[in-house]
Amino acid sequence: MKEISTKLLVIGGGPGGYVAAIRAGQLGVPTVLAEGASLGGTCLNIGCIPSKALIHAAHDFEQARAQAAGSSPMGIRVKEPTLDLAQTVRWKDGIVKRLTSGVGTLLRKAGVQVLHGWATVEDGKTAVVQLEGETVRVRCEHLLIATGSEPVALPSMPFSGETGGAIWSSTDALSPTELPKRLVVVGAGYIGLELSFAYRKLGTEVTVVEAAPDILPRYDEALTKPVLDSLKKAGVVLHLGCSVAGYDAKNGVHVRNARADEFALPADKVLVAVGRRPRTGFGIEGLQLTMAGRAIAIDAHCATSMRNVWAIGDVTGEPVLAHRAMAQGECVAEQIAGKPRRFEPMAIPAVCFTDPEVVLCGMTMDEARGAGVDVLEASFPFAANGRAMTLGAEGGFVRVLARKSDHVIVGWHAVGRSVSELSAAFGQSIEMGARLEDVAGTIHAHPTLGEAVQEAALRALGHALHI
Ligand code: FAD
Ligand code: NAD
């Protein structure tokens, strides 16, 4: 068997693994990266990017349909639009291809050796990678596990996968060959809601079944209400506080409500989006690492319980977010190159790309209370923001939480059109220890949605200008 020796072996080429490998390469660390599927991982191939492409295409199609129906308040009128779904999927795949081949180029530029094959860990310093037609044993000083996560299946409804059956995972829902007439979505979390909006806008009848009494259980009611209202307005039917008991092709999804009454929801496809779980196996269990449930336990350096074995991203558990994985990857690479680093962010923004979008950055109100932080809270509504009016998007608000004692900002929350783009400002202000006065005293360009950020800070100080 061919053997390679390197300083760093990264297993997994998703946002965590490829960023770690690029940064290590930049710092002159000899690096090998093994990826069994496609560079870019879940995020670029079957997650963040394709879902946002589909969401955007669905939004444009819905706008065109509203214009054709004569309901555009801006007076735009078009003839009845049609959707070439195959072209939509090709467009989405084209974006994925550009990004994933870009990752390959960046890795090459950084001098990283990429092995396209599945790796099996033998011990903390050795893995075997199965390439097409050959097997390579890689010996390393540092092993970085970045194997990501996989969707959780319901025992009563296993994913149909390649058989083309009715039970979809998010991966299937991102590459439809035709639009289902009726889609039942199980789980009103990130994936369930983002894709419910997308399919509804494309013309599918969507019904959501959620076990918890609320959608997006981690967000407070003020943040979720605009999303709930928008789902209802779009005609999405919601069954909250209900569990699913199975599926049959004749009757559809069997649902049980809180009173244990059973009813059936007819469905052509069922998207199961009830969470993701860390992807282990591949000999990783043989290392007997300390685990945190199903996830690999790590410390503030992203180090596991075994010396020189590191883990990052989804395989280390919540929050399951690409930007967290990337930041961890960079952190580990720099430590291996000898830099003193810890992974201790003040805030990891979370964005739900629903319509409207929701952003949470830093502490929630409950977390602040739980930590005993006495906070000032203020919101500024987009209804009083000129830019929001010109976009026809006056719903929602920006909310700030700051310590009462010194006005240091501890949390930003927002719901509204395009608020995902405000998450950079939110993260920066918290990470830099900004006070309300810093944001209030910064000139924000007019007319922008960002002015609502400044106005929320001004309002917390008791002197908002435009409300
Ligand atoms: P992954 O991206 O899962 O990559 C792991 C890689 O490791 C995979 O390519 C896999 O093939 C490879 N691998 C695993 N085992 C082996 C092995 N033994 N040998 C070789 N290779 C191996 N996050 C966001 O922040 N924003 C979003 O908008 C967002 N949207 C999402 C939408 C959907 C539909 C889904 C499913 C997820 C979304 N996520 C989003 C989550 C995001 O995709 C993940 O948090 C992110 O991809 C995690 O990166 P990772 O590097 O830890 O793992
Ligand atoms: P999730 O944890 O966001 O939501 C799962 C939902 O399913 C929860 O509301 C839960 O109460 C519900 N549920 C669980 N079991 C159920 C059952 N048997 N019947 C009915 N409902 C049930 O999980 P997800 O939507 O699968 O997404 C997985 C992860 O991917 C997320 O945690 C998120 O971190 C990441 N993600 C992020 C984004 C983003 O950042 N915009 C987008 C998509 C996914």
Side-chain angles (χ1 to χ4, degrees), residues 94-118:
I95 296 167
V96 169
K97 191 151 191 294
R98 261 161 52 207
L99 286 171
T100 51
S101 54
V103 168
T105 307
L106 292 171
L107 286 164
R108 249 194 321 279
K109 208 173 112 196
V112 176
Q113 183 178 359
V114 176
L115 299 179
H116 294 280
W118 295 101

Side-chain angles (χ1 to χ4, degrees), residues 52 154 186-192 194 209-212 217 242-244 273-276 318-321 351-353:
K52 270 75 236 176
L154 291 172
V186 184
Y190 284 78
I191 294 176
E194 289 184 0
V209 182
E210 163 61 49
C242 290
S243 57
V244 292
V274 295
R276 295 181 64 81
E318 296 283 339
V320 173
L321 294 170
V351 180
C352 193
F353 291 83

Side-chain angles (χ1 to χ4, degrees), residues 12 15-16 35-36 41-43 48 52 119 147-148 279 282 313-314 321-323:
E35 169 54 61
T42 303
C43 177
C48 328
K52 270 75 236 176
T147 48
R279 191 182 309 158
F282 310 109
D314 289 7
L321 294 170
H323 38 284

Side-chain angles (χ1 to χ4, degrees), residues 331-368:
C331 176
V332 169
E334 294 192 353
Q335 291 176 84
I336 292 171
K339 291 182 186 288
R341 283 289 312 269
R342 289 167 78 85
F343 184 73
E344 285 177 327
M346 296 287 291
I348 301 176
V351 180
C352 193
F353 291 83
T354 39
D355 179 9
E357 295 174 348
V358 189
V359 179
L360 199 63
C361 186
M363 287 183 168
T364 63
M365 199 64 193
D366 285 347
E367 284 164 356

